[in-house]
Amino acid sequence: MEEETLVYVERDKLRELFKRKLTQAGLPEVQADKTADLMIFADERGIHSHGSVRMQYYAERISKQGYNLEPNFEFTQNGPSAGTYFGDNAVGHYVAYQAMEEAITMAKNSGIGMVGVKEMGHSGAIGYFAEQAAKRGMVAITVCQSDPMVVPFGGTKPYFGTNPIAFAAPRQSGEPILFDMATTVQAWGKILDARSKHKAIPDTWAVNNQGEPTTDPFEVAALLPVAGPKGYGLMMMVDILAGSLLGLPFGQHVTSMYKDLSQYRRLGQFHIVINPAYFGDERLFLEKVSEMVDELHDIKPAQGFEQVYYPGEIQETVKQRYAKSGIPVAKSIYDYLVSEQLY
Ligand code: NAI
């Protein structure tokens, strides 16, 4: 497979290009700004599945009113630590961000903040929201629904989404720990990224429409859960928290990202924020997390490994590298970003 040429774009310039396209398509400024922020968060960490490769799709969905561009958001607090955030099918990046702010406030006031986010569009690389809380001294978990494209363990037909889980914890110094994974071997965006670069994929990621492993990203019909029955169990857990619990469509009833771009997605997300101050000595906690990272770094790497990394550390090193080199973007996508073409 012939690889596509890459263009290296400076971070702030790329962020501006994202924002320009989003507003051009009709997204209100404040929402476009947050969405561009999430997209750059992904691309600058090498999470290319959720950066520039999605822009054409977002612009088309905005243009076709597949997002509510005049939403009425509503946060309802149902208890000291529990509430729901109605996203009115606006762009998910902005909705999930706002809902996380409510969860942080409740955790500050009562030790825990749990917010079920109801009815929104796709929210991107969800580690962003966990980090949002960790940067304010909180421990956070967030999970969300995604469109059905994964065969359940032992099955031949897609049922669950790639339903990601993100966890973040602050530490005494340095960036928070940030564990952020799709419950599939790989996120669907990695298939899109491989398609955009015309790169073959490993045969362990996905199956074709016969249910057979494939290395051709253009042939992919469904993804595989990570670690067989374990990933399958985790994606079900995510769907129960972010879907059934909130009275939203679940499993195979979740709408598809690419089928009808003028239809609202009605997706759910679930944020859990924990205030360390309510569980012990906050300062000691931060020290212990830092100590854990130091001890992990001290472990002798196995053959073929450079070092033991904490979750999120590889992405931080990529970010530092790209700060010098620029962020790689497929040339065809770059040409689109700088063009006047809407989508
Ligand atoms: P990944 O497989 O690249 O990384 C998963 C985790 O493993 C990360 O926390 C990473 O820091 C850690 N990790 C990777 N290599 C490591 C190493 N050598 N040592 C220690 N830790 C290491 O991530 P994946 O599963 O491909 O997900 C990519 C993104 O896709 C995530 O941001 C996720 O939120 C997003 N996503 C969003 C969806 C949505 O519908 N909104 C659906 C599915 C995924």
Side-chain angles (χ1 to χ4, degrees):
M1 210 173 285
E2 203 180 313
E3 286 195 28
E4 211 193 283
T5 315
L6 297 175
V7 180
Y8 288 81
V9 191
E10 195 264 318
R11 180 212 189 264
D12 291 347
K13 182 179 174 199
L14 189 58
R15 190 188 184 288
E16 266 320 293
L17 288 173
F18 289 160
K19 190 174 167 187
R20 187 181 80 104
K21 275 283 176 224
L22 293 164
T23 43
Q24 230 176 27
L27 197 63
E29 161 110 25
V30 62
Q31 296 181 37
D33 195 63
K34 185 50 66 188
T35 307
D37 214 41
L38 262 120
M39 292 175 74
I40 209 74
F41 167 92
D43 257 345
E44 75 177 338
R45 284 170 175 74
I47 310 171
H48 295 302
S49 52
H50 286 78
S52 64
V53 289
R54 303 270 176 158
M55 180 49 80
Q56 222 155 339
Y57 160 76
Y58 291 142
E60 185 173 351
R61 184 172 271 281
I62 295 163
S63 302
K64 293 185 170 167
Q65 313 270 313
Y67 293 116
N68 186 349
L69 302 179
E70 292 177 354
N72 288 311
F73 301 125
E74 194 178 350
F75 174 61
T76 312
Q77 188 163 347
N78 299 311
S81 300
T84 53
Y85 192 95
F86 176 63
D88 207 7
N89 287 296
V91 64
H93 308 73
Y94 185 72
V95 174
Y97 165 79
Q98 293 284 76
M100 181 50 93
E101 288 298 302
E102 301 292 354
I104 294 169
T105 303
M106 283 195 293
K108 276 186 181 158
N109 296 335
S110 66
I112 301 277
M114 295 199 200
V115 175
V117 192
K118 293 163 92 149
E119 312 234 4
M120 61 169 190
H122 166 78
S123 63
I126 65 164
Y128 183 97
F129 312 109
E131 194 198 63
Q132 181 184 338
K135 289 211 152 152
R136 313 263 273 283
M138 306 283 157
V139 175
I141 299 173
T142 184
V143 300
C144 79
Q145 290 181 305
S146 177
D147 35 333
M149 55 170 64
V150 189
V151 283
F153 184 67
T156 53
K157 186 179 122 189
Y159 188 85
F160 286 120
T162 55
N163 300 359
I165 300 174
F167 168 85
R171 56 192 173 119
Q172 195 180 29
S173 59
E175 294 298 320
I177 311 295
L178 180 52
F179 178 58
D180 179 18
M181 61 165 261
T183 46
T184 40
V185 180
Q186 288 297 348
W188 174 249
K190 293 265 168 74
I191 309 291
L192 294 182
D193 186 45
R195 282 183 183 172
S196 81
K197 293 171 181 151
H198 291 257
K199 261 174 112 168
I201 57 167
D203 64 1
T204 48
W205 288 13
V207 291
N208 62 18
N209 58 12
Q210 310 293 315
E212 295 156 349
T214 179
T215 58
D216 182 348
F218 293 95
E219 246 197 21
V220 171
L223 299 174
L224 289 163
V226 66
K230 300 175 188 179
Y232 163 58
L234 286 172
M235 59 184 62
M236 182 186 216
M237 177 193 84
V238 170
D239 206 23
I240 288 174
L241 287 173
S244 316
L245 192 64
L246 309 177
L248 296 174
F250 61 90
Q252 65 184 354
H253 309 289
V254 174
T255 55
S256 171
M257 186 173 238
Y258 295 96
K259 238 177 223 158
D260 180 357
L261 272 63
S262 63
Q263 203 194 5
Y264 290 164
R265 300 245 10 237
R266 306 193 59 216
L267 294 176
Q269 184 150 349
F270 200 76
H271 295 322
I272 302 172
V273 179
I274 300 163
N275 184 344
Y278 281 71
F279 294 89
D281 183 326
E282 203 178 353
R283 194 183 45 83
L284 203 62
F285 165 68
L286 296 175
E287 274 174 30
K288 295 278 174 209
V289 180
S290 282
E291 202 179 314
M292 185 188 278
V293 168
D294 291 344
E295 288 181 3
L296 288 166
H297 281 161
D298 283 346
I299 292 175
K300 186 177 169 226
Q303 206 180 2
F305 289 83
E306 282 170 12
Q307 68 163 87
V308 174
Y309 294 98
Y310 67 80
E313 190 170 9
I314 299 241
Q315 284 72 21
E316 285 301 324
T317 60
V318 170
K319 190 175 158 189
Q320 283 162 20
R321 209 173 62 235
Y322 287 170
K324 294 189 189 121
S325 68
I327 298 170
V329 178
K331 178 150 189 326
S332 58
I333 295 177
Y334 181 75
D335 290 345
Y336 158 69
L337 287 174
V338 294
S339 75
E340 292 308 310
Q341 184 191 328
L342 213 47
Y343 57 84

